Amino acid sequence: MNELRHALRLFWSSRTVSLTIVVTLALAIGGTSAIFSVLDAVVLSALPFPQRDRLVVVWERNPRLQLGFEDIPVSAYNFTQWRRRATTLDTLSALVGTHLHLTGNDDPERVGAVRVSASFFALTGVTPLLGRVFGPADDDARASGVVVLSHRLWSRRFSSDPAALGRVLHLDGRSYTVVGVMPPHFSFPSGSQLPIHVRLPAETDLWLPLALTPEQIDDRGSHDLAVLARMAPGVSLAQARAEMDVIAHRLEEEHPGLTWWAAGIVPLQDQVVGHGRPVALFLFAAVCLVLVAACANVANVVLARSVSRRRELALRHALGAGRWQILRQYVTENLVVAGAGGALGILVAAAAVRFLVVSAPLAVPGLRD
């Protein structure tokens, strides 16, 4: 405690230098922590799913179409054929985003919804917080409507009441029964996690069964589905792509009007992270260099101040202070300054992260997380 009191007196007596060190550390620590938060959300934790390395997105591709993008949404016909014929892909699920008007029980509101085939939740490996997810019977176009809520909508609309299960919601005038609630932070897919032509809502509030009708399945001309799949155990990406090429060739033989159409497989991690990975890594490398430079500058200031105190140290040594006592005093003095810089750096990081999310200067997936 004596050394701590001495360190605080020294901090105050040389407050200009001490505050310079504190502010330098705070800016460097705060900036590094904020950008690492972006890196963590965009690259490291973009897909909080088990065995995410086996998850892929399957697109249609046609080199003769000049659309400005390579990955084309899938027709319902091709999706059903892929699901029936593919062996390298364990589970396939189709989805499409939409917006619906929610009425009943409270003020009307417009919600972001994603229609998914029944295997979607099994594919992601995420279990519901309450109730159940969709089963094969729910994916029948003749089945009664059911809905799974996001944790955010459940908290906002039903005040986190477990009795929400079994309640009826009215979406665009049709009745749906709530059968499940997903855990917090699960809102996949939403925002820019998939290409813009999939028309995903900025935030996913609920999921509905895709429930394709026979007419939709037979329609080979409508391309509006994104298809997710999980590769079978032991199957490589090259093997899956080779099999999908064979299936596309067979479909072309069976339907000559489908010439030039092929299937493209992209790892889901690469699809979601996309161009955000190099941007986040570059920014993190840049702020790490700033942190190193700040530490070097602080070290120089501390060293200069220590040199100016040689007479004080010599006097303390002459009065009987040992090396360990002097070293302990120096450590205490620097911990006070570093602790203040770190505490202020936490506040800087919190403000910087909030600014990044609100202003969204980086159009990268996962930034809002």
Side-chain angles (χ1 to χ4, degrees), residues 26-27 29-31 33-34 340-354:
L27 293 176
I29 292 172
S33 301
L344 185 58
I346 293 175
L347 300 178
V348 172
V353 169
R354 192 172 295 111

Side-chain angles (χ1 to χ4, degrees), residues 248-271:
H249 181 68
R250 289 176 179 170
L251 290 175
E252 182 179 335
E253 291 178 342
E254 296 171 8
H255 307 281
L258 297 179
T259 54
W260 294 98
W261 285 96
I265 298 181
V266 181
L268 182 58
Q269 176 77 7
D270 294 346
Q271 185 79 71

Side-chain angles (χ1 to χ4, degrees), residues 156-196:
R156 185 178 73 246
R157 194 82 181 187
F158 296 98
S159 302
S160 302
D161 184 2
L165 294 180
R167 299 278 290 274
V168 176
L169 299 181
H170 300 282
L171 298 167
D172 280 6
R174 183 180 173 186
S175 298
Y176 292 85
T177 303
V178 177
V179 295
V181 176
M182 296 306 292
H185 309 304
F186 181 83
S187 61
F188 182 83
S190 60
S192 55
Q193 290 180 314
L194 295 177
I196 191 171

Side-chain angles (χ1 to χ4, degrees), residues 111-135:
V111 295
V114 178
R115 295 186 179 275
V116 298
S117 49
S119 55
F120 170 77
F121 294 104
L123 187 146
T124 62
V126 179
T127 56
L129 178 69
L130 294 175
R132 65 173 180 89
V133 292
F134 304 141

Side-chain angles (χ1 to χ4, degrees), residues 62-343:
N62 191 327
R64 301 188 68 177
L65 297 179
Q66 303 297 321
L67 301 175
F69 52 85
E70 183 182 33
D71 298 327
I72 302 172
V74 181
S75 68
Y77 177 81
N78 278 348
F79 163 64
T80 55
Q81 292 298 316
W82 293 348
R83 185 169 56 180
R84 184 169 63 88
R85 304 185 188 205
T87 59
T88 56
L89 300 179
D90 229 0
T91 308
L92 284 90
S93 177
L95 59 92
V96 62
T98 185
H99 286 88
L100 301 171
H101 290 91
L102 172 61
T103 56
N105 303 326
D106 209 336
D107 295 333
E109 63 176 302
R110 194 166 183 259
V111 295
V114 178
R115 295 186 179 275
V116 298
S117 49
S119 55
F120 170 77
F121 294 104
L123 187 146
T124 62
V126 179
T127 56
L129 178 69
L130 294 175
R132 65 173 180 89
V133 292
F134 304 141
D138 299 316
D139 220 5
D140 192 321
R142 296 164 297 181
S144 57
V146 293
V147 60
V148 172
L149 304 181
S150 70
H151 189 275
R152 182 181 57 258
L153 182 63
W154 175 60
S155 302
R156 185 178 73 246
R157 194 82 181 187
F158 296 98
S159 302
S160 302
D161 184 2
L165 294 180
R167 299 278 290 274
V168 176
L169 299 181
H170 300 282
L171 298 167
D172 280 6
R174 183 180 173 186
S175 298
Y176 292 85
T177 303
V178 177
V179 295
V181 176
M182 296 306 292
H185 309 304
F186 181 83
S187 61
F188 182 83
S190 60
S192 55
Q193 290 180 314
L194 295 177
I196 191 171
H197 45 265
V198 182
R199 305 191 309 277
L200 292 177
E203 298 288 348
T204 298
D205 295 306
L206 51 86
W207 295 264
L208 301 170
L210 184 61
L212 294 171
T213 65
E215 292 76 18
Q216 289 174 315
I217 294 175
D218 290 337
D219 185 1
R220 305 185 186 97
S222 296
H223 299 264
D224 53 7
L225 301 178
V227 174
L228 306 180
R230 181 180 290 275
M231 293 190 298
V235 172
S236 67
L237 191 61
Q239 290 173 314
R241 285 170 172 166
E243 185 190 43
M244 294 304 293
D245 287 340
V246 171
I247 293 175
H249 181 68
R250 289 176 179 170
L251 290 175
E252 182 179 335
E253 291 178 342
E254 296 171 8
H255 307 281
L258 297 179
T259 54
W260 294 98
W261 285 96
I265 298 181
V266 181
L268 182 58
Q269 176 77 7
D270 294 346
Q271 185 79 71
V272 170
V273 173
H275 61 278
R277 183 195 301 269
V279 172
L281 291 175
F282 174 79
L283 287 177
F284 186 63
V287 295
C288 283
L289 291 177
V290 172
L291 178 62
V292 171
C295 290
N297 289 332
V298 168
N300 286 331
V301 172
V302 172
L303 180 61
R305 186 165 65 175
S306 300
V307 170
S308 69
R309 296 172 61 193
R310 283 186 298 180
R311 293 182 60 185
E312 174 199 337
L313 296 179
L315 180 59
R316 293 181 62 192
H317 185 66
L319 292 175
R323 291 177 179 269
W324 169 242
Q325 288 177 298
I326 294 174
L327 175 61
R328 191 171 59 189
Q329 180 62 51
Y330 263 88
V331 170
T332 304
E333 293 171 2
N334 285 288
L335 281 177
V336 168
V337 177

